[in-house]
mmCIF file of all heavy atoms in Angstrom:
data_model
loop_
_atom_site.group_PDB
_atom_site.id
_atom_site.type_symbol
_atom_site.label_atom_id
_atom_site.label_comp_id
_atom_site.label_asym_id
_atom_site.label_seq_id
_atom_site.Cartn_x
_atom_site.Cartn_y
_atom_site.Cartn_z
ATOM 1 N N THR A 1 -4.533 5.537 19.303
ATOM 2 C CA THR A 1 -5.795 6.101 18.830
ATOM 3 C C THR A 1 -5.952 7.521 19.278
ATOM 4 O O THR A 1 -6.391 8.401 18.498
ATOM 5 C CB THR A 1 -6.962 5.254 19.339
ATOM 6 O OG1 THR A 1 -6.801 3.887 18.910
ATOM 7 C CG2 THR A 1 -8.314 5.803 18.821
ATOM 8 N N GLN A 2 -5.568 7.819 20.509
ATOM 9 C CA GLN A 2 -5.649 9.239 21.032
ATOM 10 C C GLN A 2 -4.583 10.098 20.360
ATOM 11 O O GLN A 2 -4.924 11.203 19.969
ATOM 12 C CB GLN A 2 -5.430 9.198 22.536
ATOM 13 C CG GLN A 2 -5.389 10.555 23.156
ATOM 14 C CD GLN A 2 -5.056 10.468 24.652
ATOM 15 O OE1 GLN A 2 -4.826 9.412 25.172
ATOM 16 N NE2 GLN A 2 -4.964 11.615 25.291
ATOM 17 N N ALA A 3 -3.392 9.600 20.151
ATOM 18 C CA ALA A 3 -2.352 10.434 19.640
ATOM 19 C C ALA A 3 -2.429 10.643 18.117
ATOM 20 O O ALA A 3 -2.058 11.669 17.612
ATOM 21 C CB ALA A 3 -0.985 9.846 20.005
ATOM 22 N N ALA A 4 -2.905 9.626 17.389
ATOM 23 C CA ALA A 4 -2.886 9.670 15.937
ATOM 24 C C ALA A 4 -4.133 9.011 15.339
ATOM 25 O O ALA A 4 -4.028 7.988 14.733
ATOM 26 C CB ALA A 4 -1.599 9.025 15.377
ATOM 27 N N PRO A 5 -5.302 9.630 15.507
ATOM 28 C CA PRO A 5 -6.526 8.992 14.977
ATOM 29 C C PRO A 5 -6.531 8.805 13.497
ATOM 30 O O PRO A 5 -7.088 7.829 12.996
ATOM 31 C CB PRO A 5 -7.669 9.913 15.451
ATOM 32 C CG PRO A 5 -6.999 11.180 15.844
ATOM 33 C CD PRO A 5 -5.557 10.890 16.174
ATOM 34 N N THR A 6 -5.896 9.723 12.736
ATOM 35 C CA THR A 6 -5.866 9.541 11.276
ATOM 36 C C THR A 6 -4.994 8.373 10.863
ATOM 37 O O THR A 6 -5.241 7.741 9.838
ATOM 38 C CB THR A 6 -5.367 10.821 10.548
ATOM 39 O OG1 THR A 6 -4.044 11.137 11.055
ATOM 40 C CG2 THR A 6 -6.340 11.954 10.792
ATOM 41 N N LEU A 7 -3.983 8.074 11.683
ATOM 42 C CA LEU A 7 -3.158 6.894 11.401
ATOM 43 C C LEU A 7 -3.995 5.623 11.480
ATOM 44 O O LEU A 7 -3.924 4.755 10.627
ATOM 45 C CB LEU A 7 -1.992 6.812 12.351
ATOM 46 C CG LEU A 7 -1.115 5.564 12.232
ATOM 47 C CD1 LEU A 7 -0.395 5.508 10.907
ATOM 48 C CD2 LEU A 7 -0.130 5.539 13.365
ATOM 49 N N ILE A 8 -4.815 5.527 12.488
ATOM 50 C CA ILE A 8 -5.691 4.348 12.691
ATOM 51 C C ILE A 8 -6.631 4.210 11.529
ATOM 52 O O ILE A 8 -6.842 3.153 10.945
ATOM 53 C CB ILE A 8 -6.451 4.471 14.017
ATOM 54 C CG1 ILE A 8 -5.513 4.544 15.217
ATOM 55 C CG2 ILE A 8 -7.389 3.250 14.188
ATOM 56 C CD1 ILE A 8 -4.497 3.410 15.325
ATOM 57 N N ALA A 9 -7.216 5.368 11.065
ATOM 58 C CA ALA A 9 -8.123 5.334 9.929
ATOM 59 C C ALA A 9 -7.352 4.886 8.668
ATOM 60 O O ALA A 9 -7.909 4.122 7.851
ATOM 61 C CB ALA A 9 -8.738 6.660 9.740
ATOM 62 N N THR A 10 -6.163 5.309 8.489
ATOM 63 C CA THR A 10 -5.355 4.983 7.280
ATOM 64 C C THR A 10 -5.051 3.494 7.254
ATOM 65 O O THR A 10 -5.044 2.859 6.204
ATOM 66 C CB THR A 10 -4.028 5.766 7.315
ATOM 67 O OG1 THR A 10 -4.329 7.151 7.358
ATOM 68 C CG2 THR A 10 -3.193 5.470 6.056
ATOM 69 N N THR A 11 -4.796 2.899 8.409
ATOM 70 C CA THR A 11 -4.355 1.499 8.410
ATOM 71 C C THR A 11 -5.468 0.528 8.821
ATOM 72 O O THR A 11 -5.192 -0.612 9.122
ATOM 73 C CB THR A 11 -3.163 1.331 9.401
ATOM 74 O OG1 THR A 11 -3.590 1.751 10.685
ATOM 75 C CG2 THR A 11 -1.984 2.152 8.934
ATOM 76 N N ALA A 12 -6.689 0.987 8.857
ATOM 77 C CA ALA A 12 -7.790 0.155 9.351
ATOM 78 C C ALA A 12 -7.953 -1.140 8.537
ATOM 79 O O ALA A 12 -8.331 -2.175 9.075
ATOM 80 C CB ALA A 12 -9.073 0.945 9.339
ATOM 81 N N ALA A 13 -7.637 -1.057 7.227
ATOM 82 C CA ALA A 13 -7.816 -2.220 6.399
ATOM 83 C C ALA A 13 -6.644 -3.192 6.471
ATOM 84 O O ALA A 13 -6.742 -4.315 6.021
ATOM 85 C CB ALA A 13 -8.001 -1.780 4.933
ATOM 86 N N ALA A 14 -5.585 -2.781 7.076
ATOM 87 C CA ALA A 14 -4.386 -3.631 7.121
ATOM 88 C C ALA A 14 -4.538 -4.627 8.256
ATOM 89 O O ALA A 14 -5.346 -4.473 9.171
ATOM 90 C CB ALA A 14 -3.141 -2.791 7.314
ATOM 91 N N THR A 15 -3.677 -5.616 8.277
ATOM 92 C CA THR A 15 -3.740 -6.704 9.301
ATOM 93 C C THR A 15 -2.706 -6.338 10.413
ATOM 94 O O THR A 15 -2.620 -5.213 10.826
ATOM 95 C CB THR A 15 -3.495 -8.055 8.666
ATOM 96 O OG1 THR A 15 -2.238 -8.015 7.999
ATOM 97 C CG2 THR A 15 -4.533 -8.436 7.656
ATOM 98 N N THR A 16 -1.930 -7.303 10.800
ATOM 99 C CA THR A 16 -0.984 -7.033 11.915
ATOM 100 C C THR A 16 0.101 -6.106 11.476
ATOM 101 O O THR A 16 0.379 -5.885 10.307
ATOM 102 C CB THR A 16 -0.317 -8.360 12.348
ATOM 103 O OG1 THR A 16 0.368 -8.910 11.232
ATOM 104 C CG2 THR A 16 -1.353 -9.357 12.856
ATOM 105 N N ARG A 17 0.777 -5.494 12.476
ATOM 106 C CA ARG A 17 1.813 -4.466 12.161
ATOM 107 C C ARG A 17 2.835 -4.949 11.186
ATOM 108 O O ARG A 17 3.183 -4.193 10.287
ATOM 109 C CB ARG A 17 2.404 -4.035 13.473
ATOM 110 C CG ARG A 17 1.507 -3.131 14.258
ATOM 111 C CD ARG A 17 2.071 -2.900 15.572
ATOM 112 N NE ARG A 17 2.111 -4.238 16.244
ATOM 113 C CZ ARG A 17 2.660 -4.499 17.410
ATOM 114 N NH1 ARG A 17 3.283 -3.545 18.031
ATOM 115 N NH2 ARG A 17 2.673 -5.648 17.918
ATOM 116 N N PRO A 18 3.470 -6.103 11.324
ATOM 117 C CA PRO A 18 4.533 -6.462 10.404
ATOM 118 C C PRO A 18 4.012 -6.624 8.978
ATOM 119 O O PRO A 18 4.710 -6.402 8.009
ATOM 120 C CB PRO A 18 4.990 -7.826 10.919
ATOM 121 C CG PRO A 18 4.634 -7.851 12.325
ATOM 122 C CD PRO A 18 3.370 -7.052 12.444
ATOM 123 N N ALA A 19 2.703 -6.958 8.831
ATOM 124 C CA ALA A 19 2.128 -7.176 7.504
ATOM 125 C C ALA A 19 1.416 -5.990 6.947
ATOM 126 O O ALA A 19 0.948 -6.017 5.838
ATOM 127 C CB ALA A 19 1.195 -8.379 7.569
ATOM 128 N N MET A 20 1.375 -4.904 7.736
ATOM 129 C CA MET A 20 0.583 -3.748 7.327
ATOM 130 C C MET A 20 1.025 -3.191 5.985
ATOM 131 O O MET A 20 0.197 -3.109 5.091
ATOM 132 C CB MET A 20 0.697 -2.665 8.411
ATOM 133 C CG MET A 20 -0.064 -1.421 8.091
ATOM 134 S SD MET A 20 0.034 -0.208 9.441
ATOM 135 C CE MET A 20 1.730 0.141 9.471
ATOM 136 N N THR A 21 2.275 -2.808 5.830
ATOM 137 C CA THR A 21 2.657 -2.210 4.562
ATOM 138 C C THR A 21 2.599 -3.251 3.432
ATOM 139 O O THR A 21 2.218 -2.904 2.325
ATOM 140 C CB THR A 21 4.094 -1.626 4.648
ATOM 141 O OG1 THR A 21 4.997 -2.654 5.085
ATOM 142 C CG2 THR A 21 4.179 -0.445 5.582
ATOM 143 N N HIS A 22 2.876 -4.492 3.780
ATOM 144 C CA HIS A 22 2.809 -5.533 2.763
ATOM 145 C C HIS A 22 1.339 -5.658 2.221
ATOM 146 O O HIS A 22 1.114 -5.733 1.015
ATOM 147 C CB HIS A 22 3.267 -6.864 3.323
ATOM 148 C CG HIS A 22 3.196 -7.986 2.355
ATOM 149 N ND1 HIS A 22 4.180 -8.183 1.391
ATOM 150 C CD2 HIS A 22 2.290 -8.983 2.197
ATOM 151 C CE1 HIS A 22 3.802 -9.276 0.668
ATOM 152 N NE2 HIS A 22 2.690 -9.755 1.157
ATOM 153 N N THR A 23 0.388 -5.648 3.132
ATOM 154 C CA THR A 23 -0.993 -5.777 2.749
ATOM 155 C C THR A 23 -1.460 -4.559 1.912
ATOM 156 O O THR A 23 -2.109 -4.745 0.863
ATOM 157 C CB THR A 23 -1.904 -5.836 4.021
ATOM 158 O OG1 THR A 23 -1.472 -6.949 4.774
ATOM 159 C CG2 THR A 23 -3.364 -5.941 3.615
ATOM 160 N N ILE A 24 -1.019 -3.389 2.261
ATOM 161 C CA ILE A 24 -1.427 -2.194 1.513
ATOM 162 C C ILE A 24 -0.789 -2.219 0.130
ATOM 163 O O ILE A 24 -1.470 -1.974 -0.870
ATOM 164 C CB ILE A 24 -0.951 -0.908 2.265
ATOM 165 C CG1 ILE A 24 -1.780 -0.804 3.580
ATOM 166 C CG2 ILE A 24 -1.132 0.298 1.417
ATOM 167 C CD1 ILE A 24 -1.289 0.278 4.539
ATOM 168 N N VAL A 25 0.490 -2.594 0.057
ATOM 169 C CA VAL A 25 1.177 -2.628 -1.264
ATOM 170 C C VAL A 25 0.537 -3.729 -2.117
ATOM 171 O O VAL A 25 0.276 -3.496 -3.314
ATOM 172 C CB VAL A 25 2.667 -2.868 -1.059
ATOM 173 C CG1 VAL A 25 3.336 -3.248 -2.416
ATOM 174 C CG2 VAL A 25 3.325 -1.634 -0.469
ATOM 175 N N ARG A 26 0.266 -4.895 -1.610
ATOM 176 C CA ARG A 26 -0.307 -5.976 -2.423
ATOM 177 C C ARG A 26 -1.688 -5.544 -2.931
ATOM 178 O O ARG A 26 -2.054 -5.892 -4.030
ATOM 179 C CB ARG A 26 -0.370 -7.303 -1.634
ATOM 180 C CG ARG A 26 0.979 -7.914 -1.426
ATOM 181 C CD ARG A 26 1.552 -8.277 -2.826
ATOM 182 N NE ARG A 26 2.941 -8.698 -2.610
ATOM 183 C CZ ARG A 26 3.791 -8.953 -3.614
ATOM 184 N NH1 ARG A 26 3.363 -8.799 -4.873
ATOM 185 N NH2 ARG A 26 5.003 -9.324 -3.435
ATOM 186 N N GLY A 27 -2.438 -4.874 -2.115
ATOM 187 C CA GLY A 27 -3.762 -4.390 -2.570
ATOM 188 C C GLY A 27 -3.527 -3.384 -3.739
ATOM 189 O O GLY A 27 -4.299 -3.401 -4.721
ATOM 190 N N GLY A 28 -2.555 -2.501 -3.599
ATOM 191 C CA GLY A 28 -2.256 -1.590 -4.666
ATOM 192 C C GLY A 28 -1.816 -2.257 -5.964
ATOM 193 O O GLY A 28 -2.131 -1.803 -7.068
ATOM 194 N N LEU A 29 -1.060 -3.351 -5.836
ATOM 195 C CA LEU A 29 -0.605 -4.073 -6.980
ATOM 196 C C LEU A 29 -1.815 -4.596 -7.802
ATOM 197 O O LEU A 29 -1.765 -4.669 -9.027
ATOM 198 C CB LEU A 29 0.238 -5.316 -6.573
ATOM 199 C CG LEU A 29 1.588 -4.976 -5.916
ATOM 200 C CD1 LEU A 29 2.263 -6.214 -5.460
ATOM 201 C CD2 LEU A 29 2.509 -4.211 -6.870
ATOM 202 N N LYS A 30 -2.840 -5.036 -7.061
ATOM 203 C CA LYS A 30 -4.030 -5.568 -7.744
ATOM 204 C C LYS A 30 -4.959 -4.469 -8.282
ATOM 205 O O LYS A 30 -5.534 -4.572 -9.386
ATOM 206 C CB LYS A 30 -4.832 -6.426 -6.806
ATOM 207 C CG LYS A 30 -4.342 -7.839 -6.690
ATOM 208 C CD LYS A 30 -5.340 -8.618 -5.832
ATOM 209 C CE LYS A 30 -4.936 -10.048 -5.757
ATOM 210 N NZ LYS A 30 -5.797 -10.857 -4.905
ATOM 211 N N TYR A 31 -5.204 -3.437 -7.477
ATOM 212 C CA TYR A 31 -6.342 -2.561 -7.773
ATOM 213 C C TYR A 31 -6.013 -1.126 -8.120
ATOM 214 O O TYR A 31 -6.860 -0.419 -8.709
ATOM 215 C CB TYR A 31 -7.286 -2.552 -6.563
ATOM 216 C CG TYR A 31 -7.744 -3.919 -6.143
ATOM 217 C CD1 TYR A 31 -7.329 -4.536 -5.026
ATOM 218 C CD2 TYR A 31 -8.644 -4.637 -7.010
ATOM 219 C CE1 TYR A 31 -7.745 -5.808 -4.678
ATOM 220 C CE2 TYR A 31 -9.079 -5.923 -6.704
ATOM 221 C CZ TYR A 31 -8.607 -6.486 -5.513
ATOM 222 O OH TYR A 31 -9.061 -7.777 -5.220
ATOM 223 N N ALA A 32 -4.843 -0.626 -7.754
ATOM 224 C CA ALA A 32 -4.534 0.799 -8.030
ATOM 225 C C ALA A 32 -3.835 0.982 -9.351
ATOM 226 O O ALA A 32 -2.717 0.460 -9.550
ATOM 227 C CB ALA A 32 -3.706 1.332 -6.839
ATOM 228 N N ARG A 33 -4.456 1.763 -10.200
ATOM 229 C CA ARG A 33 -3.915 1.955 -11.538
ATOM 230 C C ARG A 33 -2.544 2.666 -11.450
ATOM 231 O O ARG A 33 -1.619 2.280 -12.181
ATOM 232 C CB ARG A 33 -4.886 2.800 -12.371
ATOM 233 C CG ARG A 33 -4.445 3.026 -13.833
ATOM 234 C CD ARG A 33 -5.402 3.883 -14.577
ATOM 235 N NE ARG A 33 -5.837 5.093 -13.927
ATOM 236 C CZ ARG A 33 -5.121 6.211 -13.789
ATOM 237 N NH1 ARG A 33 -3.920 6.295 -14.292
ATOM 238 N NH2 ARG A 33 -5.600 7.272 -13.134
ATOM 239 N N HIS A 34 -2.436 3.691 -10.611
ATOM 240 C CA HIS A 34 -1.140 4.421 -10.514
ATOM 241 C C HIS A 34 -0.037 3.542 -10.007
ATOM 242 O O HIS A 34 1.088 3.671 -10.419
ATOM 243 C CB HIS A 34 -1.273 5.699 -9.664
ATOM 244 C CG HIS A 34 -1.629 5.433 -8.216
ATOM 245 N ND1 HIS A 34 -2.916 5.173 -7.825
ATOM 246 C CD2 HIS A 34 -0.863 5.368 -7.144
ATOM 247 C CE1 HIS A 34 -2.944 4.992 -6.550
ATOM 248 N NE2 HIS A 34 -1.688 5.056 -6.073
ATOM 249 N N THR A 35 -0.350 2.552 -9.162
ATOM 250 C CA THR A 35 0.661 1.628 -8.643
ATOM 251 C C THR A 35 1.036 0.655 -9.778
ATOM 252 O O THR A 35 2.260 0.426 -9.948
ATOM 253 C CB THR A 35 0.106 0.799 -7.484
ATOM 254 O OG1 THR A 35 -0.285 1.715 -6.428
ATOM 255 C CG2 THR A 35 1.157 -0.154 -6.951
ATOM 256 N N GLN A 36 0.115 0.195 -10.555
ATOM 257 C CA GLN A 36 0.422 -0.677 -11.658
ATOM 258 C C GLN A 36 1.253 0.073 -12.731
ATOM 259 O O GLN A 36 2.175 -0.511 -13.293
ATOM 260 C CB GLN A 36 -0.851 -1.187 -12.299
ATOM 261 C CG GLN A 36 -1.595 -2.108 -11.346
ATOM 262 C CD GLN A 36 -3.062 -2.385 -11.807
ATOM 263 O OE1 GLN A 36 -3.523 -1.771 -12.726
ATOM 264 N NE2 GLN A 36 -3.689 -3.304 -11.118
ATOM 265 N N GLU A 37 1.008 1.355 -12.958
ATOM 266 C CA GLU A 37 1.791 2.140 -13.901
ATOM 267 C C GLU A 37 3.215 2.294 -13.377
ATOM 268 O O GLU A 37 4.201 2.185 -14.145
ATOM 269 C CB GLU A 37 1.150 3.505 -14.117
ATOM 270 C CG GLU A 37 -0.135 3.398 -14.912
ATOM 271 C CD GLU A 37 -0.932 4.725 -14.895
ATOM 272 O OE1 GLU A 37 -0.478 5.700 -14.283
ATOM 273 O OE2 GLU A 37 -1.958 4.782 -15.563
ATOM 274 N N TYR A 38 3.363 2.511 -12.041
ATOM 275 C CA TYR A 38 4.656 2.637 -11.442
ATOM 276 C C TYR A 38 5.464 1.360 -11.613
ATOM 277 O O TYR A 38 6.637 1.386 -11.989
ATOM 278 C CB TYR A 38 4.550 2.988 -9.963
ATOM 279 C CG TYR A 38 5.785 3.003 -9.219
ATOM 280 C CD1 TYR A 38 6.639 4.120 -9.201
ATOM 281 C CD2 TYR A 38 6.180 1.906 -8.433
ATOM 282 C CE1 TYR A 38 7.799 4.138 -8.540
ATOM 283 C CE2 TYR A 38 7.427 1.925 -7.761
ATOM 284 C CZ TYR A 38 8.192 3.048 -7.772
ATOM 285 O OH TYR A 38 9.442 3.056 -7.145
ATOM 286 N N ILE A 39 4.866 0.236 -11.405
ATOM 287 C CA ILE A 39 5.489 -1.049 -11.490
ATOM 288 C C ILE A 39 5.918 -1.286 -12.983
ATOM 289 O O ILE A 39 7.052 -1.746 -13.195
ATOM 290 C CB ILE A 39 4.513 -2.231 -11.032
ATOM 291 C CG1 ILE A 39 4.356 -2.107 -9.527
ATOM 292 C CG2 ILE A 39 5.099 -3.573 -11.419
ATOM 293 C CD1 ILE A 39 3.239 -2.990 -9.030
ATOM 294 N N ALA A 40 5.058 -0.977 -13.931
ATOM 295 C CA ALA A 40 5.398 -1.094 -15.323
ATOM 296 C C ALA A 40 6.592 -0.268 -15.688
ATOM 297 O O ALA A 40 7.564 -0.720 -16.374
ATOM 298 C CB ALA A 40 4.199 -0.823 -16.183
ATOM 299 N N ARG A 41 6.647 0.957 -15.207
ATOM 300 C CA ARG A 41 7.728 1.867 -15.494
ATOM 301 C C ARG A 41 9.047 1.365 -14.925
ATOM 302 O O ARG A 41 10.055 1.314 -15.564
ATOM 303 C CB ARG A 41 7.382 3.278 -14.958
ATOM 304 C CG ARG A 41 8.417 4.300 -15.390
ATOM 305 C CD ARG A 41 8.066 5.716 -14.971
ATOM 306 N NE ARG A 41 8.363 5.881 -13.559
ATOM 307 C CZ ARG A 41 7.485 6.126 -12.612
ATOM 308 N NH1 ARG A 41 6.150 6.239 -12.891
ATOM 309 N NH2 ARG A 41 7.810 6.262 -11.326
ATOM 310 N N ARG A 42 8.988 0.939 -13.636
ATOM 311 C CA ARG A 42 10.211 0.462 -12.963
ATOM 312 C C ARG A 42 10.691 -0.820 -13.574
ATOM 313 O O ARG A 42 11.875 -1.093 -13.624
ATOM 314 C CB ARG A 42 9.946 0.335 -11.471
ATOM 315 C CG ARG A 42 9.583 1.641 -10.760
ATOM 316 C CD ARG A 42 10.662 2.678 -10.915
ATOM 317 N NE ARG A 42 11.773 2.358 -10.024
ATOM 318 C CZ ARG A 42 12.558 3.231 -9.460
ATOM 319 N NH1 ARG A 42 12.433 4.475 -9.661
ATOM 320 N NH2 ARG A 42 13.522 2.785 -8.652
ATOM 321 N N THR A 43 9.781 -1.719 -13.957
ATOM 322 C CA THR A 43 10.110 -2.981 -14.587
ATOM 323 C C THR A 43 10.798 -2.672 -15.934
ATOM 324 O O THR A 43 11.879 -3.344 -16.255
ATOM 325 C CB THR A 43 8.870 -3.885 -14.828
ATOM 326 O OG1 THR A 43 8.299 -4.122 -13.548
ATOM 327 C CG2 THR A 43 9.273 -5.214 -15.435
ATOM 328 N N ALA A 44 10.298 -1.729 -16.668
ATOM 329 C CA ALA A 44 10.923 -1.309 -17.930
ATOM 330 C C ALA A 44 12.325 -0.768 -17.712
ATOM 331 O O ALA A 44 13.194 -0.930 -18.598
ATOM 332 C CB ALA A 44 10.072 -0.305 -18.646
ATOM 333 N N GLU A 45 12.595 -0.222 -16.585
ATOM 334 C CA GLU A 45 13.880 0.351 -16.263
ATOM 335 C C GLU A 45 14.835 -0.767 -15.806
ATOM 336 O O GLU A 45 15.981 -0.531 -15.546
ATOM 337 C CB GLU A 45 13.789 1.365 -15.143
ATOM 338 C CG GLU A 45 13.051 2.635 -15.542
ATOM 339 C CD GLU A 45 12.749 3.594 -14.342
ATOM 340 O OE1 GLU A 45 13.129 3.220 -13.195
ATOM 341 O OE2 GLU A 45 12.161 4.631 -14.531
#
């Protein structure tokens, strides 16, 4: 928290460390339009 306060703010919604990126990505899969567009493009590829 002292060394990287913005990191803590960025990951505040995530759960445990191993699941952090997974949680963020899964949230993006559901709610972020740009993530859904990326998935559609990569799936088409």
Side-chain angles (χ1 to χ4, degrees):
T1 302
Q2 178 185 358
T6 57
L7 174 65
I8 300 303
T10 302
T11 60
T15 57
T16 61
R17 286 169 297 172
M20 180 177 61
T21 56
H22 180 78
T23 302
I24 293 169
V25 167
R26 287 297 171 188
L29 295 174
K30 276 187 175 178
Y31 304 109
R33 184 182 46 78
H34 63 278
T35 303
Q36 292 166 353
E37 291 169 357
Y38 174 81
I39 292 168
R41 188 177 77 244
R42 298 301 283 211
T43 301
E45 293 171 0

